[in-house]
Amino acid sequence: MKLVFATNNQNKVNEIKSLLGEGVEILSLKDIGCNEELPETQETLEGNALQKARYVADNYNVNCFADDTGLEVASLNGAPGVYSARYAGEQCAAEDNMTKILSELDGKQNRESKFRTIVALILNDEEHFFEGRIEGSITHSKSGSDGFGYDPIFQPNGFDITFSEMSMAEKNAISHRGKAVAKLVAFLKEESPNSSL
């Protein structure tokens, strides 16, 4: 089975390949010659993931999946949510996003938050969704040098370190994306019982 992962992030592609094993060949957008920016104009994670997957499926006639992830902070009414990647502005960097959240939480007692990942799969013209989430809290300062995005300020429940202080294997074992992809893998195993997944 060949599946296109609708992303330009090679780190994500490698992560998915390691989780899926040999039974499915994962192709990136680059592999199919898709160099354009995928649309992400929906108001929900589900909408964005499906919009990206549909774009690739419709324009390149392939089975594919896409993901969208958001950090939802309780005392910020669920923000940044679907706007997590550009919370501090369109051209902002992860550092800017973290600085903005830490500033907005200054003096607030409730620092509960969660990460949610939605994977939208289009397989043989049928749409499927898989969700992964992890609860945690926003730390008072950045800690750790690994990971990306909000990892240096997100501490999952039950741990005394941030995502950025974990190895990739440790993070993948508990993370929102890891959980969503595990559901995707389980589904693909059912669809291809004779594969080596």
Side-chain angles (χ1 to χ4, degrees), residues 3-76:
L3 271 180
V4 175
F5 186 7
T7 182
N8 285 308
N9 186 329
Q10 192 58 45
N11 290 326
K12 280 189 183 182
V13 173
N14 293 338
E15 190 175 295
I16 295 285
K17 281 182 177 177
S18 69
L19 291 165
L20 280 174
E22 299 298 316
V24 174
E25 183 182 353
I26 297 295
L27 303 173
S28 67
L29 293 177
K30 185 178 176 184
D31 291 331
I32 62 169
C34 175
N35 299 309
E36 57 264 40
E37 195 72 29
L38 299 184
E40 271 187 288
T41 58
Q42 304 303 304
E43 295 295 314
T44 64
L45 299 176
E46 291 84 354
N48 271 342
L50 183 59
Q51 184 179 28
K52 290 186 285 187
R54 273 187 184 155
Y55 180 91
V56 174
D58 292 346
N59 288 282
Y60 292 88
N61 195 30
V62 291
N63 289 321
C64 71
F65 64 95
D67 73 324
D68 199 26
T69 294
L71 173 66
E72 301 173 355
V73 181
S75 60
L76 300 181

Side-chain angles (χ1 to χ4, degrees), residues 13 26 37 44 48 63 76 80 85-86 90 108-110 123 145 149 160 163-164 166 172-174 186 195:
V13 173
I26 297 295
E37 195 72 29
T44 64
N48 271 342
N63 289 321
L76 300 181
R86 52 192 184 279
E90 282 297 329
K108 285 185 165 53
Q109 292 299 313
N110 182 5
L123 184 65
S145 56
D160 57 4
F163 268 167
S164 266
M166 295 180 179
N172 287 348
I174 62 168
S195 77

Side-chain angles (χ1 to χ4, degrees), residues 150-189:
Y150 295 95
D151 286 358
I153 62 170
F154 182 83
Q155 182 174 305
N157 288 347
F159 293 82
D160 57 4
I161 57 175
T162 66
F163 268 167
S164 266
E165 295 172 289
M166 295 180 179
S167 69
M168 182 182 277
E170 288 174 314
K171 179 187 167 187
N172 287 348
I174 62 168
S175 79
H176 44 293
R177 184 174 292 107
K179 290 176 180 177
V181 170
K183 292 177 182 178
L184 169 68
V185 170
F187 175 80
L188 292 174
K189 282 181 179 175

